[in-house]
Amino acid sequence: MTTGRRHLRRGALGNEDAATLSLGEEFQNAQCLYTSEVKILLEAQQDSKESATENRPTTSITTKTLEYVRMFSRFTNRDSVREVRQLLGKDDMAQFEIAQLANLCCEDAEEAKALIPRQASMSEKRQKRI
């Protein structure tokens, strides 16, 4: 993963590294969404606009994001997303790791270890359970 340096509040420098889950203080208590959850939210927003319950215009960013999540979304309905969140939430993993696993849908533990660095440090028994 890449390591980035950026300015934090009051000019202090901070290191960010997804491999070590150093994502910055603004992500410390953040809930990470799966691509499928973003799709569900954006489609609900689009439905409310079409049914005239919401009168804000759709931006090009919203449209492009909806196209993207429709293309890469793995789970098609709320029930499947809820089930995946429950299954992955049983282990003591960071929200960021859980979202990575759900979005990538790795075929096996080896693929997860290659794509998600902290997975390599987990025990094999735990990896197989996930």
Side-chain angles (χ1 to χ4, degrees):
M1 294 281 150
T2 61
T3 301
R5 289 180 62 86
R6 64 183 202 118
H7 293 281
L8 297 176
R9 293 187 187 123
R10 298 186 187 182
L13 289 176
N15 290 326
E16 295 174 352
D17 185 0
T20 61
L21 293 179
S22 299
L23 303 175
E25 70 180 58
E26 60 268 19
F27 291 103
Q28 289 301 316
N29 297 313
Q31 175 76 33
C32 297
L33 296 176
Y34 306 162
T35 305
S36 301
E37 291 173 314
V38 175
K39 176 183 166 267
I40 291 168
L41 291 171
L42 290 177
E43 285 177 342
Q45 182 183 31
Q46 185 180 42
D47 290 345
S48 70
K49 287 180 182 183
E50 289 172 359
S51 65
T53 59
E54 190 176 313
N55 59 1
R56 289 185 295 162
T58 302
T59 65
S60 64
I61 293 173
T62 302
T63 303
K64 289 177 183 177
T65 303
L66 185 54
E67 289 172 11
Y68 176 88
V69 295
R70 282 180 173 157
M71 186 181 312
F72 293 105
S73 181
R74 299 284 192 164
F75 313 107
T76 57
N77 60 48
R78 290 180 184 191
D79 292 332
S80 58
V81 171
R82 190 175 299 124
E83 188 174 333
V84 170
R85 189 166 281 284
Q86 286 175 344
L87 287 171
L88 291 176
K90 290 180 182 179
D91 285 301
D92 187 31
M93 290 187 293
Q95 286 289 320
F96 181 69
E97 291 175 303
I98 293 170
Q100 285 181 309
L101 284 172
N103 289 335
L104 295 171
C105 289
C106 300
E107 292 290 324
D108 55 29
E110 292 304 314
E111 184 180 6
K113 285 191 274 188
L115 295 173
I116 305 167
R118 275 202 23 166
Q119 295 297 307
S121 64
M122 293 174 106
S123 70
E124 269 193 49
K125 183 179 178 183
R126 186 174 171 203
Q127 288 172 357
K128 287 181 182 180
R129 189 174 68 239
I130 293 171

